[in-house]
Amino acid sequence: HVTVKAGGRTLATFSPDADFVQEIVVPADALAASNGLVVLETDLTFQPPHGDPRVVGLKFFEISVR
């Protein structure tokens, strides 16, 4: 699952099962309330191989703001 939040509000929740494109509208009041911070959370993570200590969950190829 992926959850997108801003300003204390959940803006979107979705469950991608492969590469995906997701368009999310962030209302101006939520963006203002969060001082421009948009949070993406996921509950599906993995640890890369070869001793990499990071725990990662999402890989972004492109993010755009319009």
Side-chain angles (χ1 to χ4, degrees):
H1 295 89
V2 177
T3 303
V4 181
K5 299 178 180 181
R9 292 168 46 185
T10 297
L11 305 176
T13 301
F14 54 98
S15 297
D17 57 2
D19 289 349
F20 64 95
V21 173
Q22 187 74 33
E23 187 169 319
I24 300 162
V25 175
V26 181
D29 62 330
L31 197 58
S34 69
N35 292 318
L37 179 66
V38 177
V39 176
L40 293 98
E41 300 174 341
T42 184
D43 60 356
L44 297 174
T45 60
F46 69 97
Q47 189 166 9
H50 309 297
D52 187 333
R54 299 175 299 152
V55 175
V56 295
L58 295 170
K59 181 178 182 179
F60 295 99
F61 293 98
E62 180 179 340
I63 295 177
S64 62
V65 178
R66 297 181 275 172

